[in-house]
Amino acid sequence: MDVMGDMANLFGTGRFARPSGQEEATDEAQVAADEAAEEVRLRLAVDGGDVEAMSVLGAMLLRRGDFDGAESQLRAATAAGDRAAANNLGVLLHQRGYADEAAGWWRIAAVAGSAAAAHALGRHFRERGDEPAAEYWLCQSAEQGHVLGAYALADLLEHRGDDAGAGRWMRAAAERGHREAAYRLARRLDRGDGQDRENADVSGTAGEEVEQWYRQAAARGHRRAALHLGTILENRGELKEAGRWYLTSAKDGEARAACALGFLLRDAGDVESAAVWWLRAAQDGDGNAANALGALHAERGETQTAERWYRAAMDAGDDNGAYNLGLLCAEQGRTAHAEQWYRRAAYAGHREASNALAILLLRGGDETGAEPWFSKAAEAGSVDAAFNLGILHAGRGAEKTALRWYERAAAAGHTEAALQVGMARLRAGDEREAERFLRCAAGGGSAEAAYRLATVLDARRPPAPAHELGEPAQDKSECEEWYERAASQGHRRAQVRVGMLAAARGDVVEAARWYRRAAEAGSRNGAFNLGLLLAREGSDPEAVVWWRRAADAGHGRAALRLALVCARRGDLAEGQRWADRAVSLGPPEVGERAARLRDALRQELSA
């Protein structure tokens, strides 16, 4: 129980001036001397029959732990009608274990108007399980402005499910400086409990009021409030102030704040300091910090230390520890151990572990065992698992089921899933829906989607007029912009197409650049087109080099060009060899021309 309550004190009597907050604190010896002198003066006043002095002296002795001396003074003052003495006598008796007698004195003080006694009496009845009586007395205390009474009443009403009443009195206690009330009010507002958002300060947003109450509680030393305030500030990008509040909370022993401070320091590049705070948090049982330490040592190649911290995280109840152990074992090729840890995390509901376990089983040829884990992960919200289920069903030829999973993953922002849905829509002839999904995938960075989208848009635009020398270059269309995006990501067919569009505009240099990039990446069409461009510019020897590369890669037209070049040079045998190659490669129209050329060269050789 709270000692003193609304009891009279020496400052309240007006006999002594209250010291200014600006003055320096006296040393302990001076404080002890002043207290001794005060006690002497009080005892002199008591000897003179001063009831208020009896009450104050009794409270002083109660604080000191002199229960026998305090009780005689408090009983004398109570008998003289001092309500503060009655309240403090109740506190003394409660501390001695006489709860029922204490309640009797509190009732006397409370009836006389003591808010502190009403609060103590309300708590007494709540401890006895008499909630109606507890509510009555706590309400008496709260309505008189007693901050502890308001907080205790709010706690009682919240326990009984009266959100509106709990919010009202929690706010009242917070407004009077109760730090736990300020913290709990912030939590209620953060969650949107009860009617608190309706009572929020209309001059600002609900988020601002949440921050205000966290800040008030944190400023009064509430470590969890400091943690939540740091989180709000970090999410807003105010990292310096967030770090200060995390530090304050961490120094007060909040492991989660120490962990968060570690991540903040790591992101700022100070890994060593981050490790210090993670170590402190992990030693206090924070699983997230233990995982962070494990990852740090794993990156350094210290796998045994990493494994030790992952196990510590797992022992702290963090399922990520088992999942990370699985990853570590998988990287080391310890497949059986990886499966063991993945299973442990997956059975605990870890969705990414379920997905990883399914992949491991699938790679081992156990498709039947993999599917349920993919499904479990997908149902738990794993986007990758939904995509993987799409791949699994597509491999079985179950296109409709595959599409359903692809659509689910695509709706959650999975780029490759959106590409698969777009391509499926194209095959079904639904160009509008295909375009929508391809735009999503292309916007997410898929080069293939950008290329496919460009081909859709390219097929719609009217044929461009022939470019004449001296005419200004035409503006790039949207389809060309998508081709270029795909090309810049290394998509070879897009690079060839960008080169062709540049050539159509008359931009030979740009066309050659893109053809060369495609050819060097292994595109036979790029190599063939680059050869054509070089030949037109008079660089036949270099053109032959690129045509040879394209023909060796299976390009029939390139082989035909080489046959023609050889025929012009008089190298009939080599020409006949490339003509044979062109016939075998095709396509049919190329094969027909190559066959005629080959026959002509054969006749020439036999003539």
Side-chain angles (χ1 to χ4, degrees):
M1 294 296 175
D2 298 296
V3 181
M4 303 303 289
D6 61 351
M7 56 160 284
N9 57 62
L10 292 178
F11 294 126
T13 66
R15 299 176 191 174
F16 299 94
R18 186 177 297 274
S20 167
Q22 310 261 322
E23 295 175 359
E24 295 183 2
T26 57
D27 57 30
E28 291 182 7
Q30 183 64 46
V31 170
D34 289 347
E35 189 172 313
E38 182 180 322
E39 184 177 346
V40 170
R41 287 190 290 271
L42 285 171
R43 288 189 182 278
L44 288 173
V46 167
D47 291 342
D50 190 325
V51 175
E52 185 178 351
M54 293 177 194
S55 179
V56 174
L57 179 59
M60 179 184 291
L61 296 171
L62 177 58
R63 282 199 305 270
R64 191 183 296 167
D66 182 359
F67 288 175
D68 291 336
E71 185 171 354
S72 62
Q73 298 294 335
L74 292 173
R75 284 189 182 278
T78 299
D82 190 293
R83 72 179 188 186
N87 176 45
N88 287 330
L89 180 57
V91 172
L92 185 150
L93 292 167
H94 184 273
Q95 290 185 6
R96 280 187 157 176
Y98 304 116
D100 291 334
E101 188 179 353
W105 289 110
W106 281 329
R107 184 184 295 274
I108 291 171
V111 170
S114 171
H119 164 247
L121 190 58
R123 289 182 60 182
H124 168 79
F125 281 119
R126 187 173 183 191
E127 288 169 3
R128 294 292 187 275
D130 188 349
E131 291 192 358
E135 182 179 354
Y136 173 80
W137 288 110
L138 290 175
C139 189
Q140 294 296 314
S141 175
E143 287 177 348
Q144 292 180 66
H146 194 273
V147 62
L148 295 178
Y151 175 72
L153 179 58
D155 186 67
L156 175 62
L157 294 173
E158 186 174 83
H159 170 72
R160 287 168 51 180
D162 184 354
D163 286 336
R168 173 193 168 199
W169 288 111
M170 198 72 76
R171 183 180 294 276
E175 288 172 347
R176 292 167 190 159
H178 194 289
R179 74 176 189 181
E180 184 66 22
Y183 170 73
R184 288 178 64 176
L185 178 59
R187 295 296 295 149
R188 288 173 62 84
L189 289 166
D190 217 357
R191 296 190 300 263
D193 290 356
Q195 303 298 315
D196 290 317
R197 289 201 182 276
E198 295 180 9
N199 297 327
D201 181 7
V202 295
S203 64
T205 65
E208 289 171 347
E209 191 183 11
V210 168
E211 181 180 342
Q212 167 202 330
W213 292 117
Y214 278 139
R215 192 177 290 276
Q216 177 174 308
R220 294 176 180 273
H222 197 293
R223 69 186 192 186
R224 282 174 295 166
L227 166 66
H228 287 288
L229 178 58
T231 302
I232 289 171
L233 293 166
E234 182 182 0
N235 291 338
R236 203 161 64 210
E238 298 176 21
L239 302 183
K240 190 173 182 180
E241 188 180 359
R244 287 200 299 270
W245 285 112
Y246 283 148
L247 180 62
T248 298
S249 181
K251 285 182 175 178
D252 286 340
E254 181 59 56
R256 290 175 297 169
C259 180
L261 180 60
F263 282 110
L264 212 59
L265 289 166
R266 182 204 63 182
D267 293 343
D270 190 354
V271 178
E272 296 306 317
S273 295
V276 170
W277 287 105
W278 282 334
L279 178 60
R280 182 167 175 173
Q283 288 173 338
D284 287 339
D286 189 282
N288 196 23
N291 273 314
L293 282 172
L296 181 63
H297 287 288
E299 288 173 5
R300 294 172 176 173
E302 301 164 357
T303 54
Q304 289 185 340
T305 307
E307 184 169 341
R308 179 167 62 85
W309 282 114
Y310 287 148
R311 287 180 182 272
M314 190 171 57
D315 292 340
D318 192 326
D319 298 329
N320 282 316
Y323 173 58
N324 288 330
L325 275 170
L327 292 174
L328 190 66
C329 292
E331 289 173 2
Q332 296 172 339
R334 297 157 57 194
T335 306
H337 288 91
E339 182 179 343
Q340 168 195 340
W341 294 117
Y342 285 151
R343 281 189 185 277
R344 178 163 179 169
Y347 278 122
H350 195 293
R351 67 186 189 189
E352 299 310 324
S354 298
N355 183 55
L357 174 60
I359 292 172
L360 197 67
L361 294 171
L362 191 61
R363 286 175 178 168
D366 186 2
E367 184 177 311
T368 304
E371 185 176 352
W373 288 111
F374 277 138
S375 296
K376 185 175 181 179
E379 294 298 341
S382 172
V383 180
D384 288 335
F387 177 66
N388 289 335
L389 275 172
I391 295 175
L392 193 68
H393 287 289
R396 297 172 179 170
E399 297 296 338
K400 289 184 178 180
T401 306
L403 181 58
R404 187 171 68 250
W405 285 110
Y406 284 144
E407 286 175 340
R408 183 165 177 172
H414 196 288
T415 298
E416 290 304 310
L419 169 62
Q420 293 300 324
V421 176
M423 292 172 63
R425 292 283 185 260
L426 276 180
R427 289 192 295 271
D430 189 351
E431 190 176 291
R432 186 174 298 278
E433 276 294 288
E435 181 182 345
R436 183 169 70 86
F437 281 99
L438 290 174
R439 283 187 184 276
C440 290
S446 170
E448 181 65 25
Y451 172 74
R452 299 267 181 177
L453 175 60
T455 60
V456 169
L457 298 173
D458 203 1
R460 293 179 189 165
R461 60 181 191 142
H467 184 273
E468 299 292 340
L469 292 176
E471 288 184 358
Q474 301 168 7
D475 293 335
K476 293 180 181 178
S477 62
E478 185 188 5
C479 76
E480 188 167 359
E481 290 174 358
W482 284 113
Y483 278 134
E484 286 190 359
R485 179 178 295 195
S488 64
Q489 293 176 256
H491 195 287
R492 293 182 300 180
R493 284 177 294 169
Q495 289 170 343
V496 173
R497 187 61 183 146
V498 171
M500 292 171 66
L501 291 170
R505 290 198 309 271
D507 191 344
V508 177
V509 174
E510 182 74 357
R513 183 172 73 87
W514 285 111
Y515 287 151
R516 191 177 297 276
R517 283 186 62 176
E520 289 174 348
S523 169
R524 62 189 186 185
N525 285 329
F528 174 70
N529 287 356
L530 180 59
L532 289 178
L533 205 62
L534 291 167
R536 290 170 188 163
E537 296 297 313
S539 300
D540 288 341
E542 190 178 357
V544 168
V545 171
W546 290 108
W547 282 334
R548 189 182 298 277
R549 181 180 292 191
D552 287 341
H555 198 285
R557 287 189 173 84
L560 178 58
R561 288 280 175 172
L562 287 170
L564 290 169
V565 168
C566 292
R568 286 198 299 269
R569 290 176 179 172
D571 190 349
L572 303 183
E574 183 70 4
Q576 185 176 344
R577 189 176 70 81
W578 281 115
D580 282 337
R581 176 76 168 152
V583 169
S584 63
L585 292 174
E589 62 273 16
V590 170
E592 292 174 4
R593 291 181 59 194
R596 290 196 297 271
L597 177 60
R598 179 190 59 191
D599 293 342
L601 292 174
R602 186 174 296 154
Q603 291 177 3
E604 187 70 22
L605 280 170
S606 60

